[in-house]
Amino acid sequence: MEILERDPHIELRVNSEDRGCTRDELVSGFQWADGALTMLSDKIDRELLEVAPRLRVVANYAVGYNNIDLTAANERHVVVTNTPHCLAEATADLTMGLLLAVARRLVEGDGLVRAGLFKGWAPEFLLGMDLHGKTLGIIGLGEIGTCVARRARAFGMRIVYCARHEAPTASELQAERVELPELLRRSDVVSLHCPLTAETKGMLGAAQLAAMKPTAYLINTARGACIDENALIEALRTHAIAGAALDVYDGEPNVKAGFMALKNVVLAPHLGSAATETRVTMGHVAISNILAVLNGGIAPNPVN
């Protein structure tokens, strides 16, 4: 915002609160805007684009852009951009943090200590799972998935993955490409790093969860809608799988009440890229896209 405020050719209007815009605020802002810097929580649909006659660029402050109607943007010749290549490391860090938290039951332990229920060391107290020697199944070995795999290799884990194409980093990671059913059957941990598309929406439902080991854990830092959350709640409730750790949810910021009653799930509030350096870099990338388009150039990171 400071960079844009210093530009004499730009009039900047900002949502000064640390939250997403309401629909009315979006409509009011888009009516006058030549460019918009939007959040993943902002629904940029055809109706909104139609009230924005001057709009030339929408810079999404995220890698994902499933919140934007690309067809409608194309029809109105609006450039849509994202912020790739700057949040993979932060999201991979969080993925490993979530895995450790659920596999070693850190949240449960923290709660017991705070409640004054820690009575001392015991041989079978809060037993979890070793990561060394276990198999990590990665759904989508792209930029973030690759960063997760590198970390997992440092923990002594084996890597299998499924993707539409052979990953260029597979050899480096000693990662074996398999189909989804085999990945689910073999993995001790399944971690999602795929975009939300028609193909991946609901890709893990009751049948897929049932195919996992009863000792396995599921990690999701991709998109909530990739998993059938009702099926996951049931699988966790019946201990069909050992546990899950989630950073994203279908219908955010709403989280299904069924998750709240379960001790074998760790729930994070969409913190994947929430590191100061990463968020600053994302801002710089978004601004560079806006300024490039408004100054008559080509956006560095177009997605349409």
Side-chain angles (χ1 to χ4, degrees), residues 61-64 83-92 143-144 272-273 278 282:
Y61 188 69
V63 170
T83 59
H85 315 308
C86 54
L87 55 76
E89 301 288 356
T91 303
E143 191 172 15
I144 297 173
S273 63
T278 296
M282 290 168 62

Side-chain angles (χ1 to χ4, degrees), residues 221-232:
T221 57
R223 289 291 178 265
C226 292
I227 299 174
D228 179 338
E229 291 186 336
N230 291 324
L232 177 56

Side-chain angles (χ1 to χ4, degrees), residues 59 70 96 139 172 185 199 204 262:
L70 294 185
M96 295 306 294
I139 300 177
E172 165 208 339
R185 177 178 59 81
E199 182 181 357
L204 295 187
L262 298 169

Side-chain angles (χ1 to χ4, degrees), residues 5-6 166 201 204 212 268-270:
E5 284 172 342
R6 290 197 296 266
E166 188 78 25
K201 185 174 183 179
L204 295 187
M212 292 174 61
H270 205 144

Side-chain angles (χ1 to χ4, degrees), residues 284-298:
H284 282 287
V285 171
I287 288 168
S288 70
N289 281 283
I290 291 172
L291 293 178
V293 174
L294 296 186
N295 288 325
I298 297 174

Side-chain angles (χ1 to χ4, degrees), residues 42 71 126 170 175 179 199 215 227 249 275-276 285 298 304:
D42 297 327
T71 300
L126 285 183
E179 296 299 321
E199 182 181 357
T215 54
I227 299 174
Y249 309 91
T276 301
V285 171
I298 297 174
N304 68 335

